[in-house]
Amino acid sequence: MQTIGLLGGMSWQSSATYYRLINEGVSERLGGLHSARLCLVSVDFQPIERLQHAGDWSEMARRLGAAANGVARGGADFMLLCTNTMHKVADDIAAAIPIPLLHIGDATGSALQADGRIRVGLLGTRFTMEEDFYRHRLQHNFDIEVLIPAPATRGEVHRVIYEELCLGNIQERSRQRYLAAIDELADAGAQAIILGCTEIAMLIDQGMTNIPLYDTTLLHCQAAVQRALPGHEGG
């Protein structure tokens, strides 16, 4: 079993989900009392969030690159960046560490491609929805067209993530707004919806809509377990 590195804390709510899902995946495959070999470095999200909204991506890349090297020094064989938004600086982080970075967009794109999805909707932070670092990767590497909601909807989706979900605050009115956003994207022709923020699955799940949902946190964790346990297809 390889050691999976996690760079988390953005937010700690979703990082806890990463820990659980990866361990569940290893247990399912190996059975018994097996659990994942993990090395986790968790950052303080408050300074990162301030830099995000200030647009200082170079400073974030520097800080996260240093934290990622802590993951590598801890013995990880490869690393996951436990956030969609900070994949904006994924190339900088990958260049700063001696181990591979398993990209969340590749895990998501591979699953969409395997299911034949060629036109999908994307929910996430405003950075993930509006900037091209995420959408372009799916379009260029997987030939998947990515749709995003209207500006007012994007603003509300973004607000709920930072003001509610990152604090573990689940509101029914926000759930209904997200479901309305999903319907908006489906009406625009989306065949499926990417839950492109690692906290969104705390709010909505597949049982709430008929439109296929692709939870990036789950897909990222599944890809990590597959990489850590090559050749183990069942528990």
Side-chain angles (χ1 to χ4, degrees):
M1 184 193 306
Q2 291 188 327
T3 298
I4 302 170
L6 301 176
L7 179 52
M10 300 166 280
S11 67
W12 73 261
Q13 303 281 346
S14 62
S15 298
T17 302
Y18 268 87
Y19 185 85
R20 175 178 58 80
L21 289 174
I22 289 172
N23 276 292
E24 287 176 350
V26 169
S27 177
E28 180 181 349
R29 291 194 179 210
L30 299 184
L33 296 178
H34 283 288
S35 56
R37 295 182 59 181
L38 292 166
C39 177
L40 167 64
V41 171
S42 187
V43 301
D44 179 7
F45 189 35
Q46 182 73 65
I48 299 296
E49 184 271 340
R50 288 174 178 162
L51 290 168
Q52 286 177 341
H53 287 91
D56 194 347
W57 298 98
S58 60
E59 176 60 17
M60 282 181 280
R62 186 192 68 78
R63 293 188 187 191
L64 293 183
N69 268 295
V71 177
R73 289 194 301 271
D77 294 295
F78 64 94
M79 197 193 83
L80 280 65
L81 180 58
C82 303
T83 160
N84 282 273
T85 298
M86 293 313 302
H87 275 75
K88 180 176 171 66
V89 295
D91 289 345
D92 298 294
I93 294 171
I97 58 177
I99 58 175
L101 176 70
L102 184 59
H103 199 290
I104 198 169
D106 293 342
T108 303
S110 295
L112 290 165
Q113 192 175 68
D115 291 344
R117 313 293 187 191
I118 60 173
R119 197 166 196 240
V120 303
L122 173 64
L123 298 179
T125 67
R126 187 184 295 279
F127 312 111
T128 301
M129 291 186 288
E130 295 182 353
E131 301 189 33
D132 65 1
F133 68 93
Y134 199 92
R135 292 182 289 122
H136 176 75
R137 193 176 189 97
L138 293 176
Q139 292 163 351
H140 183 265
N141 292 356
F142 300 95
D143 199 26
I144 295 170
E145 180 184 1
V146 181
L147 308 176
I148 59 175
T153 305
R154 296 199 298 269
E156 180 63 7
V157 169
H158 180 91
R159 183 198 67 77
V160 168
I161 291 168
Y162 282 94
E163 296 182 12
E164 298 176 14
L165 300 183
C166 286
L167 298 172
N169 182 10
I170 307 302
Q171 296 287 335
E172 180 60 30
R173 64 179 181 274
S174 297
R175 177 177 290 119
Q176 295 306 316
R177 288 167 180 164
Y178 268 59
L179 291 172
I182 288 171
D183 289 340
E184 174 187 325
L185 290 167
D187 290 343
Q191 299 169 310
I193 305 298
I194 300 170
L195 305 184
C197 176
T198 52
E199 287 83 18
I200 294 178
M202 296 164 55
L203 184 66
I204 55 175
D205 60 44
Q206 190 61 72
M208 299 173 186
T209 179
N210 293 324
I211 303 162
L213 303 179
Y214 286 75
D215 176 6
T216 54
T217 305
L218 176 61
L219 294 170
H220 208 192
C221 291
Q222 289 174 338
V225 171
Q226 177 64 33
R227 182 162 186 155
L229 298 173
H232 291 276
E233 297 301 329

